[in-house]
């Protein structure tokens, strides 16, 4: 590729293209992994399994069901805690929820940095 073509490509990239979001995506993934490492081992395995790209058809219905269950917090077992879990699952596939999750992870990193630290007591 020539210098002119290279400069043309770089001058036309917008901040909304995946090329420029690679650093943000890496930060998001690192933050998610840091939080997942804080969970018990069985939950780490479950989330790792669910976050694989080929599990999309399990992840989307589960995320929707969690969010619906969170809206029925007046029932036993169901509660508001289910809404963030639904957002977390849907954030892998839906850009709107991904942005919400990125904002939440950035807030957690600012307000509770200890939640992002490596933990050896997760079982």
């Amino acid at each position: 590729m020539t210098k002119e073509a290279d400069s043309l490509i770089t001058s036309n990239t917008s901040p909304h293209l995946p090329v420029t979001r690679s650093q943000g995506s890496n930060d998001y993934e690192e933050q998610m992994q840091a939080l997942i490492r804080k969970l018990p081992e069985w939950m780490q395995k479950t989330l790792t399994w669910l976050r694989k790209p080929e599990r999309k058809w399990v992840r989307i219905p589960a995320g929707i069901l969690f969010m619906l269950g969170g809206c029925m917090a007046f029932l036993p077992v169901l509660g508001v805690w289910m809404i963030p879990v639904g957002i977390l699952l849907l954030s892998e596939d839906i850009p709107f929820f991904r942005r919400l999750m990125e904002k939440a992870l950035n807030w957690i990193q600012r307000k509770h940095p200890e939640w992002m630290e490596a933990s050896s007591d997760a079982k």
Side-chain angles (χ1 to χ4, degrees):
M1 188 182 301
T2 66
K3 281 186 174 182
E4 295 152 12
D6 190 33
S7 66
L8 181 61
I9 290 171
T10 56
S11 67
N12 287 334
T13 51
S14 81
H16 303 290
L17 292 176
V19 173
T20 57
R21 290 195 59 190
S22 63
Q23 181 61 34
S25 295
N26 289 338
D27 289 345
Y28 171 81
E29 190 58 35
E30 288 173 17
Q31 291 171 333
M32 285 294 289
Q33 289 301 323
L35 279 181
I36 289 172
R37 282 191 300 271
K38 298 291 268 189
L39 298 172
E41 186 177 335
W42 68 270
M43 199 175 290
Q44 289 179 26
K45 289 179 182 178
T46 303
L47 280 174
T48 302
W49 183 84
L50 271 173
R51 293 185 74 223
K52 291 182 180 177
E54 62 270 13
R55 307 288 193 253
K56 179 178 184 175
W57 302 111
V58 175
R59 195 172 44 243
I60 290 175
I64 291 169
L65 288 174
F66 269 100
M67 291 183 73
L68 290 174
C71 293
M72 298 183 184
F74 57 89
L75 296 172
V77 180
L78 304 177
V80 178
W81 65 270
M82 297 176 83
I83 294 172
V85 174
I87 291 172
L88 181 134
L89 291 173
L90 293 173
S91 71
E92 294 295 317
D93 304 300
I94 301 172
F96 172 76
F97 291 113
R98 174 102 175 191
R99 287 189 298 274
L100 282 178
M101 200 64 205
E102 285 174 347
K103 287 180 183 182
L105 288 170
N106 288 333
W107 181 85
I108 290 170
Q109 194 165 22
R110 276 193 324 274
K111 299 292 183 178
H112 300 282
E114 69 276 7
W115 292 2
M116 298 289 198
E117 293 172 358
S119 174
S120 60
D121 61 334
K123 294 178 182 167

